[in-house]
């Protein structure tokens, strides 16, 4: 009974504000205020207010809202962590599949990381001196490593 009275008073006040707004020749705003002010009366007439008042004092309902809040909090936390890492589930799956392969630097002939990439493995393979043609790289080749990094991060 008290909730219905409060909703009726709020609606009456809102309609009064809408009338004052219309008097000031702001008809669009007045119509919007009137629409909002009729919502509480509509909720009372449909029985929603009585239903909400009936469930508001049950502990099991508040426990249910607590569980829903906890699930929402957990969901948002995982979403924030996923966004911070900058990857989606599909990208992580592709990364795991690519991780099974040996890591090779762009344009490298030998894997940079792998099973036998220790000091003994590098000492066993003699390194050749770079040729002058490789030293004098074209201007477009200077940014190949930057492009690889940007592609890796999805930019």
């Amino acid at each position: 009974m008290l909730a219905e009275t409060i909703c009726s008073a709020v609606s009456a006040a809102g309609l009064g504000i809408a009338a004052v707004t219309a008097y000031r020749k702001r008809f669009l705003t007045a119509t919007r205020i009137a629409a909002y002010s009729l919502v509480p009366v509509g909720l009372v007439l449909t029985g929603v207010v009585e239903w909400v008042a009936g469930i508001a004092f049950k502990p099991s309902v508040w426990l249910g809202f607590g569980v829903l809040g906890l699930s929402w909090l957990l969901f948002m936390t995982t979403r924030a962590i996923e966004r911070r890492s900058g990857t989606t589930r599909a990208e992580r799956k592709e990364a795991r599949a690519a991780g099974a392969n040996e890591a090779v630097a762009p344009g490298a002939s030998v894997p940079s990381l792998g099973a036998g990439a220790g000091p003994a493995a590098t000492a066993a393979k003699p390194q050749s001196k770079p040729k002058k043609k490789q030293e004098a790289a074209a201007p477009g080749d200077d940014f190949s490593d930057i492009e690889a990094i940007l592609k890796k991060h999805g930019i």
Side-chain angles (χ1 to χ4, degrees), residues 45-140:
L45 293 175
T46 58
V48 172
V49 173
E50 185 179 335
W51 175 72
V52 169
I55 67 167
F57 299 109
K58 292 182 183 176
S60 61
V61 172
W62 287 106
L63 184 63
F65 280 125
V67 169
L68 286 174
L70 178 65
S71 68
W72 178 82
L73 180 69
L74 291 173
F75 179 71
M76 286 298 142
T77 303
T78 58
R79 293 281 296 183
I81 291 170
E82 187 175 73
R83 286 186 180 172
R84 178 171 263 192
S85 68
T87 60
T88 62
R89 184 181 301 165
E91 290 173 347
R92 288 191 306 269
K93 188 175 181 181
E94 290 174 8
R96 269 185 260 132
N101 300 337
E102 294 182 9
V104 178
S109 61
V110 180
S112 58
L113 298 173
T122 55
K125 296 180 183 179
Q127 295 181 356
S128 62
K129 294 183 180 179
K131 298 178 183 177
K132 289 192 176 189
K133 290 182 181 178
Q134 290 177 348
E135 287 178 5

